[in-house]
Amino acid sequence: MTNAAKTATYDVVVVGAGPVGENVADRTRAAGLTTAVVENELIGGECSYWACMPSKALLRPVTARADARRVPGLRESVRGPLDVAEVFAHRDYYASNWKDDGQVRWLDSIGVDIHRGRGRLAGPRQVTVETPSAERYTLTARHAVVVSTGSRAVVPDLPGAAGANAWTSREATSAGKVPDRLVVVGGGVVAVEMATAWQALGSRVTVLVRGKGLLARMEPFAGELIAEALTEAGATVRTGTSVAAVERREGGSGPVTVVLDDGGERIEADEILFATGRAPRTDDIGLDTVGLKPGSWLTVDESCRVEGNDWLYAVGDVNHRALMTHEGKYQARIAGAAIAARAHGDPLNTARWGAHSATADHAAVPQVVFTAPEAAAVGLTLAEAEEAGHRVRAVDYDMASVSGAGLYADGYRGRARMVVDLDRETVLGATFVGPGVAELLHSATVAVAGEVPIPRLWHAVPAYPTISEVWLRLLETYRG
C-alpha cells in the first residue's frame, strides 16, 4: 500500500516505478512474491509524463491533419491551423495532468507497497530510502533488487549550454507555449518527432544534425523521406552541422543564439532543444556499495540479471540494450519470470527465445517514429545484417503502388524494405515509411520474432485493399 511500513523485508524491491518497474512488480506479485517499489518522482515514470504519452498526444493531431489534407472531400475542411489550446489540453489529459493517482491505485490493487523517496543500494539486497522530509530507512530483499531508474537527457558540454535553460525531451513534451522560433539539435527520434510537432503548432523550426542525415539507426531512406516532409512543412533541416556554443542572457530567458562551428554562423531562436542522447540514472543509486561504477550502464545477462551478482537485476534503459518503453516492459516480464523461477527453485530456460531470455532485445526490437510520414522498423537493417555476417538480400517496394495506400491518401509517398536471410529464407528485418504504417509493424515483428519461413508467409494473405498488401508485393518482388 502507499505509505508502506518502514524498515521492512520483501521478496523483491524495485528501485524506480516507471512503466518498467511497475511491470516487474506486477510479474513478481503475480508469482506470489511480496514486492515493494521505491520512487522519488511520479509513479509511472518518464514515459507517462514526459515522453511517450505526451509526445504522441502532441503528434496525433499533426498526423491526422496531414492525412486528412490528402483525402478528397475532406482536405478543404482542414486547411486552417491547429487549435493549440485544444492540442495542449489533449496532451495534458494523456499525461494525467502530471498526477499519478491512477498509477498508485493500480499498484495498490495488485498489492505492491509504494515507498516515496530516493532509493539507493546499501550493500547486497539492501535499499535505503530517503524520504522528501529527509527521513531514512532500509528495505531488505530476500530474493532480488531490481534497478529500473531509467535514463535522462544529455545536454552537451558546450560553452553557454549549461546556463541557457535549454529544452530537453521533458520541456519539449510539456511546454505550454509555442515558441516563434525553435532550434532542434540532433537527428534521432526525439529530434524529428518534436520538430514535426512544434512546426505544426506554429514554430519556425531549424533542425541541426551533426551527421549525414536523420534517423541514422534506421534504413537510410527513412531519414531521407522524413527530412523531405519536414522541409515541405516549412522546417529547415541542416545536416553535417555542429553547434560550437550557445548564448543566452543570464537567467536563461529571452532569445537564444546558437553559434555553429562552421565559420561561426549564428542562428537566433526563442528556444533550443537538445535531443542529443541519453545517460543512465545510476550516478546516485549506491552502485559503489556493491562493487559497480556509479553513473554506468549496467551489463546484464539474458534474464536481465546484472553480471557478477545473483540478486541484482537491471531492466529498461539502465541496461542499455534497447532504450524504448515497450522493450523495457518486455525485459520486465522476462526478469519477473526469472526472479520468480529462481525464488521458487524452478529451472530456467535462457536459451534463444526461451521464457527467461530477452532475445528480442537483439533480434526483434520494434520501433515507430510518429512523424508525418511515420517510420516503423523491426529487426536488422541491411547494413546491420551484413555486418553480422548474414548472407542477405534487401527487397524494396514503393508503397504508393499498393492499392490500399492510394485509397488512404492521395499522393501517398512511402517505401518498404524486407531484409531476407538467404540461407534460412526468413525475414531478419523490415522497415516501412509512409502515412499510417505504424500498424503494419506488429505483423513484421511476428514474422521476425517467429522466424517465419518465406514459403509460409505466402499463406498469410493480406486483405484487399489495405496497406498491408505491401507484404504480398514484397514477397512477389523477392520471388521475381
Tab-separated table of all heavy atoms in Angstrom, residues 209-272:
chain	number	residue	atom	x	y	z
A	209	VAL	N	21.773	18.842	-37.585
A	209	VAL	CA	22.182	17.447	-37.474
A	209	VAL	C	23.679	17.345	-37.727
A	209	VAL	O	24.157	17.768	-38.780
A	209	VAL	CB	21.435	16.562	-38.489
A	209	VAL	CG1	21.701	15.089	-38.207
A	209	VAL	CG2	19.944	16.857	-38.469
A	210	ARG	N	24.398	16.794	-36.780
A	210	ARG	CA	25.838	16.658	-36.936
A	210	ARG	C	26.203	15.651	-38.016
A	210	ARG	O	27.192	15.803	-38.732
A	210	ARG	CB	26.470	16.252	-35.605
A	210	ARG	CG	27.991	16.194	-35.637
A	210	ARG	CD	28.547	15.995	-34.244
A	210	ARG	NE	28.008	14.780	-33.609
A	210	ARG	CZ	28.282	14.413	-32.373
A	210	ARG	NH1	29.044	15.181	-31.602
A	210	ARG	NH2	27.788	13.294	-31.873
A	211	GLY	N	25.420	14.588	-38.154
A	211	GLY	CA	25.716	13.533	-39.114
A	211	GLY	C	25.208	13.837	-40.508
A	211	GLY	O	24.811	14.962	-40.835
A	212	LYS	N	25.175	12.768	-41.320
A	212	LYS	CA	24.801	12.925	-42.725
A	212	LYS	C	23.299	13.009	-42.947
A	212	LYS	O	22.844	13.453	-44.000
A	212	LYS	CB	25.366	11.754	-43.541
A	212	LYS	CG	26.888	11.698	-43.584
A	212	LYS	CD	27.352	10.498	-44.402
A	212	LYS	CE	28.871	10.424	-44.456
A	212	LYS	NZ	29.343	9.241	-45.236
A	213	GLY	N	22.519	12.535	-41.972
A	213	GLY	CA	21.079	12.536	-42.165
A	213	GLY	C	20.335	12.234	-40.885
A	213	GLY	O	20.934	12.031	-39.822
A	214	LEU	N	19.014	12.176	-40.985
A	214	LEU	CA	18.152	11.893	-39.846
A	214	LEU	C	18.040	10.384	-39.632
A	214	LEU	O	18.226	9.588	-40.550
A	214	LEU	CB	16.765	12.473	-40.087
A	214	LEU	CG	16.678	13.976	-40.367
A	214	LEU	CD1	15.238	14.372	-40.685
A	214	LEU	CD2	17.203	14.775	-39.186
A	215	LEU	N	17.736	10.005	-38.397
A	215	LEU	CA	17.440	8.618	-38.030
A	215	LEU	C	18.522	7.660	-38.523
A	215	LEU	O	18.277	6.696	-39.255
A	215	LEU	CB	16.067	8.210	-38.586
A	215	LEU	CG	14.885	9.047	-38.084
A	215	LEU	CD1	13.599	8.623	-38.788
A	215	LEU	CD2	14.727	8.939	-36.576
A	216	ALA	N	19.733	7.906	-38.065
A	216	ALA	CA	20.898	7.165	-38.547
A	216	ALA	C	20.828	5.677	-38.242
A	216	ALA	O	21.511	4.879	-38.908
A	216	ALA	CB	22.168	7.759	-37.937
A	217	ARG	N	20.027	5.270	-37.271
A	217	ARG	CA	19.968	3.844	-36.906
A	217	ARG	C	18.927	3.072	-37.701
A	217	ARG	O	18.783	1.862	-37.521
A	217	ARG	CB	19.699	3.702	-35.411
A	217	ARG	CG	20.835	4.242	-34.548
A	217	ARG	CD	20.611	3.991	-33.082
A	217	ARG	NE	21.717	4.491	-32.280
A	217	ARG	CZ	21.796	4.385	-30.970
A	217	ARG	NH1	20.817	3.794	-30.287
A	217	ARG	NH2	22.831	4.861	-30.307
A	218	MET	N	18.205	3.758	-38.566
A	218	MET	CA	17.227	3.085	-39.412
A	218	MET	C	17.771	3.005	-40.838
A	218	MET	O	18.868	3.470	-41.121
A	218	MET	CB	15.882	3.825	-39.366
A	218	MET	CG	15.275	3.904	-37.981
A	218	MET	SD	13.651	4.705	-37.919
A	218	MET	CE	12.592	3.360	-38.434
A	219	GLU	N	17.023	2.384	-41.732
A	219	GLU	CA	17.426	2.356	-43.132
A	219	GLU	C	17.545	3.799	-43.639
A	219	GLU	O	16.742	4.663	-43.265
A	219	GLU	CB	16.401	1.596	-43.980
A	219	GLU	CG	16.229	0.132	-43.610
A	219	GLU	CD	17.387	-0.747	-44.094
A	219	GLU	OE1	18.399	-0.211	-44.589
A	219	GLU	OE2	17.268	-1.978	-43.956
A	220	PRO	N	18.527	4.104	-44.477
A	220	PRO	CA	18.746	5.500	-44.907
A	220	PRO	C	17.522	6.175	-45.494
A	220	PRO	O	17.313	7.378	-45.288
A	220	PRO	CB	19.865	5.359	-45.941
A	220	PRO	CG	20.611	4.132	-45.528
A	220	PRO	CD	19.569	3.191	-44.995
A	221	PHE	N	16.683	5.440	-46.200
A	221	PHE	CA	15.533	6.086	-46.834
A	221	PHE	C	14.531	6.623	-45.822
A	221	PHE	O	13.761	7.541	-46.124
A	221	PHE	CB	14.849	5.156	-47.836
A	221	PHE	CG	14.236	3.903	-47.258
A	221	PHE	CD1	12.987	3.918	-46.668
A	221	PHE	CD2	14.902	2.695	-47.347
A	221	PHE	CE1	12.413	2.765	-46.154
A	221	PHE	CE2	14.346	1.526	-46.844
A	221	PHE	CZ	13.094	1.561	-46.241
A	222	ALA	N	14.529	6.091	-44.603
A	222	ALA	CA	13.603	6.594	-43.586
A	222	ALA	C	13.911	8.052	-43.258
A	222	ALA	O	13.037	8.919	-43.282
A	222	ALA	CB	13.673	5.733	-42.333
A	223	GLY	N	15.167	8.341	-42.948
A	223	GLY	CA	15.557	9.714	-42.650
A	223	GLY	C	15.389	10.637	-43.836
A	223	GLY	O	15.011	11.805	-43.688
A	224	GLU	N	15.648	10.120	-45.028
A	224	GLU	CA	15.521	10.954	-46.226
A	224	GLU	C	14.077	11.384	-46.461
A	224	GLU	O	13.798	12.568	-46.742
A	224	GLU	CB	16.039	10.183	-47.444
A	224	GLU	CG	17.544	9.941	-47.424
A	224	GLU	CD	17.988	8.876	-48.413
A	224	GLU	OE1	17.116	8.393	-49.181
A	224	GLU	OE2	19.183	8.524	-48.423
A	225	LEU	N	13.131	10.443	-46.332
A	225	LEU	CA	11.726	10.783	-46.553
A	225	LEU	C	11.193	11.721	-45.481
A	225	LEU	O	10.404	12.630	-45.766
A	225	LEU	CB	10.888	9.500	-46.621
A	225	LEU	CG	11.069	8.668	-47.895
A	225	LEU	CD1	10.415	7.296	-47.735
A	225	LEU	CD2	10.475	9.388	-49.104
A	226	ILE	N	11.621	11.524	-44.248
A	226	ILE	CA	11.156	12.409	-43.180
A	226	ILE	C	11.772	13.792	-43.320
A	226	ILE	O	11.108	14.806	-43.073
A	226	ILE	CB	11.444	11.774	-41.803
A	226	ILE	CG1	10.499	10.579	-41.605
A	226	ILE	CG2	11.265	12.786	-40.675
A	226	ILE	CD1	10.792	9.754	-40.393
A	227	ALA	N	13.023	13.885	-43.742
A	227	ALA	CA	13.634	15.195	-43.984
A	227	ALA	C	12.888	15.938	-45.082
A	227	ALA	O	12.640	17.155	-44.977
A	227	ALA	CB	15.102	15.019	-44.358
A	228	GLU	N	12.506	15.236	-46.136
A	228	GLU	CA	11.729	15.866	-47.209
A	228	GLU	C	10.412	16.401	-46.677
A	228	GLU	O	10.009	17.529	-47.012
A	228	GLU	CB	11.462	14.852	-48.320
A	228	GLU	CG	12.659	14.475	-49.157
A	228	GLU	CD	12.321	13.400	-50.189
A	228	GLU	OE1	11.114	13.127	-50.378
A	228	GLU	OE2	13.257	12.848	-50.789
A	229	ALA	N	9.737	15.598	-45.843
A	229	ALA	CA	8.444	16.025	-45.312
A	229	ALA	C	8.586	17.224	-44.381
A	229	ALA	O	7.764	18.154	-44.426
A	229	ALA	CB	7.783	14.857	-44.577
A	230	LEU	N	9.596	17.221	-43.524
A	230	LEU	CA	9.812	18.372	-42.648
A	230	LEU	C	10.085	19.629	-43.453
A	230	LEU	O	9.562	20.716	-43.141
A	230	LEU	CB	10.986	18.092	-41.702
A	230	LEU	CG	10.703	17.215	-40.484
A	230	LEU	CD1	12.001	16.807	-39.803
A	230	LEU	CD2	9.787	17.935	-39.496
A	231	THR	N	10.883	19.502	-44.499
A	231	THR	CA	11.193	20.655	-45.337
A	231	THR	C	9.940	21.172	-46.027
A	231	THR	O	9.695	22.386	-46.079
A	231	THR	CB	12.264	20.277	-46.378
A	231	THR	OG1	13.438	19.834	-45.693
A	231	THR	CG2	12.625	21.468	-47.246
A	232	GLU	N	9.128	20.267	-46.553
A	232	GLU	CA	7.881	20.677	-47.199
A	232	GLU	C	6.927	21.351	-46.217
A	232	GLU	O	6.150	22.230	-46.593
A	232	GLU	CB	7.207	19.467	-47.841
A	232	GLU	CG	7.946	18.941	-49.060
A	232	GLU	CD	7.329	17.674	-49.605
A	232	GLU	OE1	6.285	17.244	-49.062
A	232	GLU	OE2	7.877	17.123	-50.575
A	233	ALA	N	6.992	20.945	-44.951
A	233	ALA	CA	6.131	21.556	-43.927
A	233	ALA	C	6.617	22.935	-43.503
A	233	ALA	O	5.914	23.647	-42.790
A	233	ALA	CB	6.046	20.638	-42.712
A	234	GLY	N	7.830	23.312	-43.914
A	234	GLY	CA	8.346	24.637	-43.589
A	234	GLY	C	9.554	24.649	-42.692
A	234	GLY	O	10.117	25.715	-42.428
A	235	ALA	N	9.960	23.486	-42.197
A	235	ALA	CA	11.141	23.429	-41.341
A	235	ALA	C	12.412	23.485	-42.189
A	235	ALA	O	12.398	23.202	-43.381
A	235	ALA	CB	11.126	22.151	-40.506
A	236	THR	N	13.504	23.863	-41.542
A	236	THR	CA	14.822	23.844	-42.176
A	236	THR	C	15.626	22.703	-41.564
A	236	THR	O	15.755	22.630	-40.344
A	236	THR	CB	15.562	25.173	-41.959
A	236	THR	OG1	14.802	26.235	-42.548
A	236	THR	CG2	16.939	25.143	-42.576
A	237	VAL	N	16.142	21.812	-42.397
A	237	VAL	CA	16.944	20.689	-41.932
A	237	VAL	C	18.350	20.846	-42.493
A	237	VAL	O	18.545	20.862	-43.702
A	237	VAL	CB	16.348	19.339	-42.374
A	237	VAL	CG1	17.218	18.183	-41.887
A	237	VAL	CG2	14.920	19.181	-41.859
A	238	ARG	N	19.317	20.965	-41.580
A	238	ARG	CA	20.713	21.148	-41.984
A	238	ARG	C	21.549	19.988	-41.448
A	238	ARG	O	21.639	19.788	-40.237
A	238	ARG	CB	21.247	22.478	-41.465
A	238	ARG	CG	20.513	23.676	-42.058
A	238	ARG	CD	21.028	24.994	-41.528
A	238	ARG	NE	22.460	25.178	-41.753
A	238	ARG	CZ	23.110	26.322	-41.537
A	238	ARG	NH1	22.428	27.395	-41.109
A	238	ARG	NH2	24.397	26.416	-41.745
A	239	THR	N	22.132	19.216	-42.348
A	239	THR	CA	22.978	18.093	-41.960
A	239	THR	C	24.443	18.513	-41.986
A	239	THR	O	24.802	19.556	-42.535
A	239	THR	CB	22.751	16.901	-42.896
A	239	THR	OG1	23.039	17.310	-44.245
A	239	THR	CG2	21.313	16.422	-42.813
A	240	GLY	N	25.295	17.682	-41.367
A	240	GLY	CA	26.715	17.995	-41.310
A	240	GLY	C	27.004	19.289	-40.582
A	240	GLY	O	27.962	19.995	-40.891
A	241	THR	N	26.173	19.597	-39.592
A	241	THR	CA	26.265	20.875	-38.888
A	241	THR	C	26.397	20.642	-37.391
A	241	THR	O	25.565	19.956	-36.795
A	241	THR	CB	25.008	21.732	-39.155
A	241	THR	OG1	24.847	21.899	-40.567
A	241	THR	CG2	25.109	23.081	-38.489
A	242	SER	N	27.415	21.212	-36.787
A	242	SER	CA	27.634	21.069	-35.347
A	242	SER	C	27.520	22.408	-34.643
A	242	SER	O	27.833	23.459	-35.226
A	242	SER	CB	29.021	20.474	-35.074
A	242	SER	OG	29.112	19.166	-35.571
A	243	VAL	N	27.073	22.366	-33.391
A	243	VAL	CA	26.941	23.575	-32.568
A	243	VAL	C	28.228	23.756	-31.774
A	243	VAL	O	28.727	22.813	-31.142
A	243	VAL	CB	25.736	23.450	-31.623
A	243	VAL	CG1	25.663	24.658	-30.688
A	243	VAL	CG2	24.445	23.313	-32.428
A	244	ALA	N	28.763	24.970	-31.801
A	244	ALA	CA	30.002	25.273	-31.072
A	244	ALA	C	29.724	25.915	-29.729
A	244	ALA	O	30.484	25.731	-28.773
A	244	ALA	CB	30.902	26.196	-31.902
A	245	ALA	N	28.645	26.700	-29.623
A	245	ALA	CA	28.347	27.411	-28.377
A	245	ALA	C	26.895	27.869	-28.389
A	245	ALA	O	26.245	27.924	-29.443
A	245	ALA	CB	29.276	28.609	-28.206
A	246	VAL	N	26.414	28.184	-27.197
A	246	VAL	CA	25.060	28.717	-27.031
A	246	VAL	C	25.166	29.973	-26.194
A	246	VAL	O	25.877	30.006	-25.181
A	246	VAL	CB	24.139	27.693	-26.332
A	246	VAL	CG1	22.749	28.276	-26.148
A	246	VAL	CG2	24.077	26.393	-27.124
A	247	GLU	N	24.433	31.006	-26.602
A	247	GLU	CA	24.468	32.270	-25.871
A	247	GLU	C	23.052	32.667	-25.473
A	247	GLU	O	22.133	32.656	-26.287
A	247	GLU	CB	25.081	33.379	-26.741
A	247	GLU	CG	26.533	33.112	-27.137
A	247	GLU	CD	27.076	34.155	-28.114
A	247	GLU	OE1	26.291	35.054	-28.507
A	247	GLU	OE2	28.252	34.063	-28.494
A	248	ARG	N	22.894	32.990	-24.193
A	248	ARG	CA	21.617	33.493	-23.695
A	248	ARG	C	21.915	34.338	-22.471
A	248	ARG	O	22.824	34.006	-21.704
A	248	ARG	CB	20.684	32.335	-23.325
A	248	ARG	CG	19.205	32.706	-23.309
A	248	ARG	CD	18.343	31.460	-23.186
A	248	ARG	NE	16.986	31.680	-23.673
A	248	ARG	CZ	16.074	30.732	-23.806
A	248	ARG	NH1	16.379	29.481	-23.503
A	248	ARG	NH2	14.868	31.029	-24.258
A	249	ARG	N	21.164	35.379	-22.284
A	249	ARG	CA	21.475	36.268	-21.170
A	249	ARG	C	21.315	35.536	-19.839
A	249	ARG	O	20.630	34.527	-19.740
A	249	ARG	CB	20.591	37.505	-21.212
A	249	ARG	CG	19.132	37.273	-20.873
A	249	ARG	CD	18.325	38.544	-21.118
A	249	ARG	NE	16.940	38.374	-20.724
A	249	ARG	CZ	15.966	39.197	-21.111
A	249	ARG	NH1	16.253	40.231	-21.888
A	249	ARG	NH2	14.730	39.000	-20.711
A	250	GLU	N	21.975	36.047	-18.847
A	250	GLU	CA	21.978	35.416	-17.534
A	250	GLU	C	20.550	35.207	-17.040
A	250	GLU	O	19.708	36.091	-17.139
A	250	GLU	CB	22.753	36.285	-16.532
A	250	GLU	CG	22.994	35.598	-15.204
A	250	GLU	CD	23.883	36.417	-14.289
A	250	GLU	OE1	24.500	37.400	-14.763
A	250	GLU	OE2	23.964	36.074	-13.109
A	251	GLY	N	20.288	34.030	-16.521
A	251	GLY	CA	18.941	33.680	-16.078
A	251	GLY	C	18.230	32.794	-17.078
A	251	GLY	O	17.160	32.253	-16.788
A	252	GLY	N	18.797	32.644	-18.268
A	252	GLY	CA	18.247	31.721	-19.250
A	252	GLY	C	16.925	32.136	-19.842
A	252	GLY	O	16.093	31.293	-20.182
A	253	SER	N	16.694	33.448	-19.987
A	253	SER	CA	15.457	33.918	-20.598
A	253	SER	C	15.783	34.758	-21.819
A	253	SER	O	16.937	35.111	-22.068
A	253	SER	CB	14.645	34.740	-19.588
A	253	SER	OG	15.379	35.874	-19.170
A	254	GLY	N	14.747	35.076	-22.587
A	254	GLY	CA	14.955	35.865	-23.792
A	254	GLY	C	15.465	35.013	-24.934
A	254	GLY	O	15.582	33.786	-24.823
A	255	PRO	N	15.759	35.627	-26.072
A	255	PRO	CA	16.233	34.864	-27.238
A	255	PRO	C	17.526	34.115	-26.932
A	255	PRO	O	18.315	34.515	-26.088
A	255	PRO	CB	16.461	35.953	-28.295
A	255	PRO	CG	15.629	37.112	-27.845
A	255	PRO	CD	15.632	37.071	-26.358
A	256	VAL	N	17.721	33.027	-27.656
A	256	VAL	CA	18.927	32.229	-27.532
A	256	VAL	C	19.647	32.251	-28.875
A	256	VAL	O	19.020	32.191	-29.926
A	256	VAL	CB	18.600	30.781	-27.100
A	256	VAL	CG1	17.659	30.094	-28.082
A	256	VAL	CG2	19.871	29.965	-26.927
A	257	THR	N	20.961	32.377	-28.827
A	257	THR	CA	21.769	32.389	-30.046
A	257	THR	C	22.600	31.124	-30.106
A	257	THR	O	23.302	30.777	-29.153
A	257	THR	CB	22.687	33.618	-30.092
A	257	THR	OG1	21.883	34.805	-30.067
A	257	THR	CG2	23.526	33.617	-31.363
A	258	VAL	N	22.499	30.434	-31.230
A	258	VAL	CA	23.249	29.204	-31.449
A	258	VAL	C	24.405	29.528	-32.386
A	258	VAL	O	24.199	30.016	-33.502
A	258	VAL	CB	22.354	28.113	-32.066
A	258	VAL	CG1	23.129	26.820	-32.227
A	258	VAL	CG2	21.117	27.901	-31.208
A	259	VAL	N	25.615	29.261	-31.932
A	259	VAL	CA	26.813	29.527	-32.726
A	259	VAL	C	27.283	28.208	-33.333
A	259	VAL	O	27.533	27.239	-32.621
A	259	VAL	CB	27.932	30.140	-31.862
A	259	VAL	CG1	29.141	30.483	-32.735
A	259	VAL	CG2	27.425	31.378	-31.127
A	260	LEU	N	27.405	28.192	-34.652
A	260	LEU	CA	27.834	26.984	-35.342
A	260	LEU	C	29.348	26.937	-35.444
A	260	LEU	O	30.019	27.968	-35.443
A	260	LEU	CB	27.203	26.914	-36.729
A	260	LEU	CG	25.671	27.014	-36.777
A	260	LEU	CD1	25.178	26.807	-38.197
A	260	LEU	CD2	25.026	26.022	-35.833
A	261	ASP	N	29.876	25.718	-35.544
A	261	ASP	CA	31.329	25.590	-35.582
A	261	ASP	C	31.893	25.747	-36.996
A	261	ASP	O	33.101	25.674	-37.197
A	261	ASP	CB	31.779	24.257	-34.992
A	261	ASP	CG	31.389	23.062	-35.844
A	261	ASP	OD1	30.663	23.243	-36.844
A	261	ASP	OD2	31.807	21.937	-35.507
A	262	ASP	N	31.049	25.962	-37.955
A	262	ASP	CA	31.484	26.155	-39.329
A	262	ASP	C	31.514	27.644	-39.651
A	262	ASP	O	30.555	28.208	-40.174
A	262	ASP	CB	30.551	25.412	-40.287
A	262	ASP	CG	31.034	25.487	-41.736
A	262	ASP	OD1	32.168	25.950	-41.955
A	262	ASP	OD2	30.260	25.097	-42.629
A	263	GLY	N	32.602	28.298	-39.293
A	263	GLY	CA	32.745	29.721	-39.586
A	263	GLY	C	32.058	30.641	-38.609
A	263	GLY	O	31.998	31.852	-38.822
A	264	GLY	N	31.502	30.076	-37.537
A	264	GLY	CA	30.894	30.916	-36.513
A	264	GLY	C	29.546	31.492	-36.878
A	264	GLY	O	29.107	32.501	-36.298
A	265	GLU	N	28.838	30.875	-37.834
A	265	GLU	CA	27.491	31.345	-38.178
A	265	GLU	C	26.611	31.325	-36.935
A	265	GLU	O	26.701	30.437	-36.101
A	265	GLU	CB	26.888	30.458	-39.263
A	265	GLU	CG	25.488	30.883	-39.688
A	265	GLU	CD	24.863	29.929	-40.686
A	265	GLU	OE1	25.584	29.038	-41.196
A	265	GLU	OE2	23.655	30.069	-40.938
A	266	ARG	N	25.704	32.309	-36.827
A	266	ARG	CA	24.856	32.438	-35.651
A	266	ARG	C	23.388	32.328	-36.064
A	266	ARG	O	22.967	32.939	-37.053
A	266	ARG	CB	25.114	33.790	-34.961
A	266	ARG	CG	26.581	33.971	-34.545
A	266	ARG	CD	26.905	35.418	-34.243
A	266	ARG	NE	26.347	35.852	-32.973
A	266	ARG	CZ	26.938	35.678	-31.794
A	266	ARG	NH1	28.125	35.067	-31.734
A	266	ARG	NH2	26.389	36.094	-30.687
A	267	ILE	N	22.641	31.548	-35.291
A	267	ILE	CA	21.206	31.392	-35.522
A	267	ILE	C	20.485	31.816	-34.252
A	267	ILE	O	20.783	31.313	-33.167
A	267	ILE	CB	20.842	29.941	-35.862
A	267	ILE	CG1	21.570	29.480	-37.128
A	267	ILE	CG2	19.336	29.790	-36.028
A	267	ILE	CD1	21.363	28.008	-37.432
A	268	GLU	N	19.546	32.725	-34.369
A	268	GLU	CA	18.794	33.188	-33.199
A	268	GLU	C	17.441	32.487	-33.143
A	268	GLU	O	16.782	32.288	-34.162
A	268	GLU	CB	18.593	34.701	-33.233
A	268	GLU	CG	17.966	35.233	-31.946
A	268	GLU	CD	17.863	36.750	-31.904
A	268	GLU	OE1	18.838	37.399	-31.482
A	268	GLU	OE2	16.802	37.271	-32.312
A	269	ALA	N	17.049	32.100	-31.947
A	269	ALA	CA	15.770	31.428	-31.747
A	269	ALA	C	15.185	31.839	-30.408
A	269	ALA	O	15.832	32.533	-29.608
A	269	ALA	CB	15.946	29.919	-31.821
A	270	ASP	N	13.962	31.388	-30.170
A	270	ASP	CA	13.322	31.663	-28.884
A	270	ASP	C	13.544	30.522	-27.895
A	270	ASP	O	13.542	30.738	-26.677
A	270	ASP	CB	11.825	31.908	-29.093
A	270	ASP	CG	11.581	33.122	-29.970
A	270	ASP	OD1	11.734	34.249	-29.468
A	270	ASP	OD2	11.280	32.929	-31.162
A	271	GLU	N	13.736	29.299	-28.428
A	271	GLU	CA	14.064	28.154	-27.584
A	271	GLU	C	15.005	27.248	-28.361
A	271	GLU	O	14.995	27.214	-29.594
A	271	GLU	CB	12.820	27.351	-27.176
A	271	GLU	CG	11.810	28.098	-26.326
A	271	GLU	CD	12.296	28.425	-24.921
A	271	GLU	OE1	13.376	27.929	-24.513
A	271	GLU	OE2	11.588	29.169	-24.225
A	272	ILE	N	15.785	26.460	-27.622
A	272	ILE	CA	16.649	25.456	-28.214
A	272	ILE	C	16.392	24.129	-27.530
A	272	ILE	O	16.298	24.059	-26.297
A	272	ILE	CB	18.143	25.841	-28.128
A	272	ILE	CG1	19.026	24.759	-28.773
A	272	ILE	CG2	18.568	26.105	-26.688
A	272	ILE	CD1	20.480	25.165	-28.922
